[in-house]
Amino acid sequence: MPIKKILVPLSGHEGFEAPHEVALETGLLLGERFAAHVEAFHAAGEAAGGRAFIPAGMPGSASEELMRAMEGEDRRRGERARALFAQVTARHNPPQAVAPGDPAGFSVDYVELPGPADELIAARGRLADLTICPSPSLDDHRRPPLGLEAALRETGRPLLVVPPEMPETLGKRVAIGWNGSVEASRALALGWDLVAGAEEVI
């Protein structure tokens, strides 16, 4: 199945830049290779969902102060995500488009929508041919980030987890875990573009 739309979620949390820069760089590299549309996506407005976690007995002034703090962090997350997108795309100067095929071939877009990151990544990932996420840091070893888990478990689509640093090559050696199952067959079919372009397949 051809890869024509690539989703790269950008969390915008403090310290996110380095690993997400690798993910976005990888997305642009593959987008150019496959003449695909790359969507850098940021889920904004986590504060709205955070209201449900404010203790019921908290005084009104304290809860409002907490909400203002969460809304401020939402704004900063959005600013960081947009800044990283601008920084990385400035190095490549790719064509801008709002959808695959307009214009035809390689293009990029930045999309920001309000809502919970895991739910939005799951929904948008189902409409992409490939989602790219950074590998969890050592601090996340107990539980992967919600966005990564949603991309893995909720989309039913291929997920590429990139290393902390940009590799020298990408997709030259591909390993396939094959057990003859329907799932293995489907995974191979969905990732065939990467397999077909490899120099060695194990």
Side-chain angles (χ1 to χ4, degrees), residues 1-3 15 46 58 69 78 95 100 102 129 148 178-179:
M1 180 176 169
I3 295 174
E46 286 187 353
M58 181 178 282
D102 181 27
D129 301 308
L148 173 60
W178 182 259
N179 63 1

Side-chain angles (χ1 to χ4, degrees), residues 7 9 41-43 45 54 68 75 78 80 91 104 112 117 121 123-125 160 176-177 180 182 190 199:
L7 177 70
F41 175 71
H42 175 66
I54 295 177
R68 281 196 296 273
R75 285 192 296 275
R80 288 190 287 261
R91 293 199 293 262
E112 186 170 306
I121 290 170
R124 298 193 80 79
L160 178 62
I176 298 172
V182 171
L190 290 172
E199 294 177 2

Side-chain angles (χ1 to χ4, degrees), residues 9-17 20 42 73-74 76-82:
L10 303 176
S11 75
H13 289 291
E14 190 171 358
F16 91 111
E17 289 88 353
H20 285 76
H42 175 66
E73 179 56 24
D74 276 349
R76 289 187 288 275
R77 286 176 52 249
E79 289 165 2
R80 288 190 287 261
R82 289 189 292 274

Side-chain angles (χ1 to χ4, degrees), residues 92-126:
H92 298 269
N93 196 28
Q96 301 279 323
V98 295
D102 181 27
F106 174 46
S107 61
V108 300
D109 190 26
Y110 177 86
V111 176
E112 186 170 306
L113 293 173
D118 55 335
E119 294 178 14
L120 289 169
I121 290 170
R124 298 193 80 79
R126 293 175 194 133

Side-chain angles (χ1 to χ4, degrees), residues 26-150:
T26 302
L28 295 177
L29 179 65
L30 292 179
E32 194 165 14
R33 182 184 300 181
F34 300 132
H37 178 70
V38 180
E39 178 184 295
F41 175 71
H42 175 66
E46 286 187 353
R51 188 178 288 277
F53 297 99
I54 295 177
M58 181 178 282
S61 58
S63 64
E64 288 305 314
E65 185 176 342
L66 182 58
M67 280 302 300
R68 281 196 296 273
M70 288 191 289
E71 288 166 355
E73 179 56 24
D74 276 349
R75 285 192 296 275
R76 289 187 288 275
R77 286 176 52 249
E79 289 165 2
R80 288 190 287 261
R82 289 189 292 274
L84 180 66
F85 176 76
Q87 173 191 325
V88 174
T89 53
R91 293 199 293 262
H92 298 269
N93 196 28
Q96 301 279 323
V98 295
D102 181 27
F106 174 46
S107 61
V108 300
D109 190 26
Y110 177 86
V111 176
E112 186 170 306
L113 293 173
D118 55 335
E119 294 178 14
L120 289 169
I121 290 170
R124 298 193 80 79
R126 293 175 194 133
L127 302 176
D129 301 308
L130 176 68
T131 298
I132 300 177
C133 293
S135 59
S137 70
L138 293 177
D139 296 333
D140 296 326
H141 69 281
R142 293 184 195 146
R143 181 183 177 89
L146 287 177
L148 173 60
E149 196 162 353

